[in-house]
Amino acid sequence: MKFRINRMAALIAAFGASGMLPAAATDGAGAAASAGRPAQLAPVVVEESRPQPLPVASRVDEEAMRALRPATSDTASLLRDVPGVQLQGAGGVSSLPVIRGLADDRNRILVDGMDLIASCPNHMNPPLSYLDPNGVSRLRVIPGVTPVSLGGDSIGGTIIADSPAPRFAAAGQAPLLGGEVGGFYRSNGNAWGGNLSAVVANENLSANFSATTAKADNYTAGGNFRNFTATGNPGRTLARDEVGSTAYETHNYQFGLAYRQNDHLVEFKYAYQDIPEQLFPNQRMDMLGNTQNRFNLHYRGQFDWGQLDARAYYETVDHLMDFGPDKRFYYGMASGGHNAVVGMPCSPISATCAAGMPMKTDSNTSGVALRADINLGANDLLRTGGLYQHYRLDDYWPASGSAMWPLTFDNINDGTRDRFGIFGEWESRLDAQWTTLVGVRYERVTTDAGSVQGYNPNINFTTMMMGMMPMRIYSNQQADAAAFNAQDRKRSDNNWDLTALARYVLDAQTDLEVGVARKTRSPNLYERYTWSTWSMAAVMNNFAGDGNGYYGDIDLDPEVAYTVSASVDWHASDRSWQLRATPYYTRVKDYIDAIRCNNNTTCQPPNATTTNQFVVLQYANQSAELYGIDLSSELPLASSSYGNFGLNGVVSYTYGKNRDTGDGLYNIMPFNARLTLTHRLGGWDNALEFVGATSKDHLSDVRNEIGTPSYGLLNLRASYSWKQARLDFGIDNVFDKLYYLPLGGAYTGQGTTMMINAIPWGIAVPGMGRSVYTGVSFKL
């Protein structure tokens, strides 16, 4: 044992840092359930004879989540210590997970078993934003080679987020009454919030309720990151270290009811979210209203032959975007013209006065899923099932004056996206050393959209003056709409996924795992059906956060990714220490990247050649490759009367390249590491954490992507737990260092953001400066 610990320390030193959370960790029955194992329906531990499922899921354990909750209101940020996972910057509760260089829709994200979709041209309401960190009980990631039973319509990985499972009283015992109440405060941004939950149950029936709220002002960086203070609004300026458009307010509520009888469980969950404000530092617009209702009915039953799982769900979203307080609101000649630093209030809306630019999105999603896990013997398990999902979207921009007048602009009209999928998967334990998994999945994805119109379909904008600026630099909306409407817009994709995985147990301290996969994702509605090349409309369609404008291509093909990965897992027999290394390679056919708009009528010639401005782009199929390595480890250092000391860490490297152009892929995280010294003594749980990244200089030139310098940060956190209470304290960015987020995108958080290049290009979004936080919770 002594030899192996020394070998581990040497390996960690050789890599320069090590992994934060053990990627090989699983959450017992929870992980088994996620991969198709019979899961417990009662608060009784069920021992399983099968080996842990393939592949091993990276898990954020409950203790890690409890430590992070006071420091964040963004559920996706709970994944920050998972090997291979990074976060693409967005709003304060809406960052987008990136798995090995593949972000957003390229990953499948399940929230309580539901496939949710971002209903916004800027993806301001991604699936994980509908769960508050205090509302998450289980959070798992399966990167890269994903079993077909957990994949589908994705080429990256799968993220599984679950709210608390229903609790029941033990047989013959008194009814169960319980709950929790808590709150937090963070100094940077004056952020505060609270959570409340309650449960009442007997041995067969359980009811629960939870509510969370969070609110924050703009945060400040670790120093001045720009040389201007204007917001474009009269009387409002921002200090040069204040990161504009980072404030937010959010409220989440959930009610659950469950019935259990023997080996059968039926549960119903209703959730409601209200976000009156979430501002975005890397988008032209802000979210000024988002309400979601979701209904989720779930059945799980255990039979002699195996387990049956069925689910039906329905979701509605009402979403509103406009300019928040840090972005200019009034436009048009009556406001002083587009060149004015400050837009003066004007009314009524007309050809010379625009009051904001409201953008509304309405969507509904309905789905059903069925899955059966069939025991074929002591060592063989067959998983089979399917799903159907119907998604409908209307994205429209009511008239607000000046160039946005007099009609409603149809960004996507009556958009639909339907998925039908079936899969089969066989997991087999060949002997004491070999476990294999093979699977195939078929999905048919059908998309369509109705005809569209611009703000004024009867005006040729190439020859008119509309009070803001010469409209010759805008596209002819009439021509764009006519060309779009003349096309057959319905597309159907037949997508196939194939997965093969194998694990070999070399000895009690070494596991080997290898996998290959073919995975497919169809374009989303915004990639296919946004149609206007007009720069002002295009910059409002951007979920990359790079400040550029985008429009779609109806003829986009699905992305097809071929991935191979291998893992070596060294560990103690009792897993008191472990190190896991996973190199991987992915080649993507028909990767949806971007090309410059170079039409002289709609996009002026500088758009095709400029290297220091924001540009208009069209989505396009190209070829791409990504490769890299993830390292993670956990190492005990010492145990004494002063407590238990340990060293955890994670190291990740990803390289992404467009094989057609030689360009770098957008928003690839540079080499980065997180190293944590832990200490535990009695009720104390403390950590000293170093976070660092090298400079980001392999960039997407077609987007004029902004590079970022290297940085290193120090964080400190401590907690003390009693039987019924917990107190947390921490300091993030202890030395108040100014640094820039490698995946934060371009800073568009203040000023005249409607016009494509009326704000400075070349400023990356800075990270948060020093923040002192505290949190407290009580179990009832």
Side-chain angles (χ1 to χ4, degrees), residues 7 51 123 259 365 413 489 499 555 677:
R7 183 177 68 172
H123 282 197
Y259 176 75
T365 307
N413 178 40
R489 297 176 294 277
T499 295
D555 293 321
L677 178 66

Side-chain angles (χ1 to χ4, degrees), residues 190-210:
N190 189 34
W192 61 272
N195 61 282
L196 171 70
S197 64
V199 59
V200 56
N202 60 26
E203 61 182 281
N204 298 114
L205 190 64
S206 176
N208 63 79
F209 171 78
S210 64

Side-chain angles (χ1 to χ4, degrees), residues 33 91 111 121-122 174 181 183 188 199 375 422 427 443-444 488 497 503 552 579 593 600 686 714 745 768:
V111 176
N122 301 144
V181 61
N188 198 326
V199 59
N375 296 318
I422 56 174
E427 184 171 338
E443 289 205 10
R444 182 174 177 85
D488 178 9
D497 286 5
R503 178 189 297 126
L579 170 67
D593 210 324
N600 286 348
N686 312 311
L714 190 68
M768 185 180 291

Side-chain angles (χ1 to χ4, degrees), residues 4-141:
R4 292 194 176 276
I5 290 179
N6 290 338
R7 183 177 68 172
M8 279 287 299
L11 285 168
I12 292 171
F15 287 124
S18 52
M20 173 61 185
L21 286 176
T26 63
D27 64 343
S34 72
R37 295 288 189 255
Q40 64 182 51
L41 301 182
V44 176
V45 175
V46 178
E47 297 292 340
E48 301 226 13
S49 60
R50 294 187 185 279
Q52 57 185 354
L54 272 170
V56 174
S58 297
R59 172 181 76 92
V60 183
D61 64 34
E62 175 61 24
E63 182 55 38
M65 285 193 287
R66 291 188 72 89
L68 292 175
R69 283 167 183 155
T72 182
S73 297
D74 178 17
T75 293
S77 69
L78 299 178
L79 297 166
R80 67 184 188 180
D81 297 330
V82 174
V85 177
Q86 308 296 335
L87 300 174
Q88 179 176 311
V93 301
S94 295
S95 61
L96 305 172
V98 182
I99 301 178
R100 295 177 179 171
L102 299 170
D104 200 9
D105 281 354
R106 292 189 169 107
N107 301 306
R108 187 184 187 192
I109 301 177
L110 294 169
V111 176
D112 280 332
M114 299 174 287
D115 283 283
L116 303 182
I117 299 171
S119 296
C120 169
N122 301 144
H123 282 197
M124 293 180 174
N125 48 17
L128 290 180
S129 69
Y130 290 113
L131 285 178
D132 182 89
N134 286 286
V136 180
S137 67
R138 295 190 301 175
L139 191 57
R140 300 177 299 284
V141 180

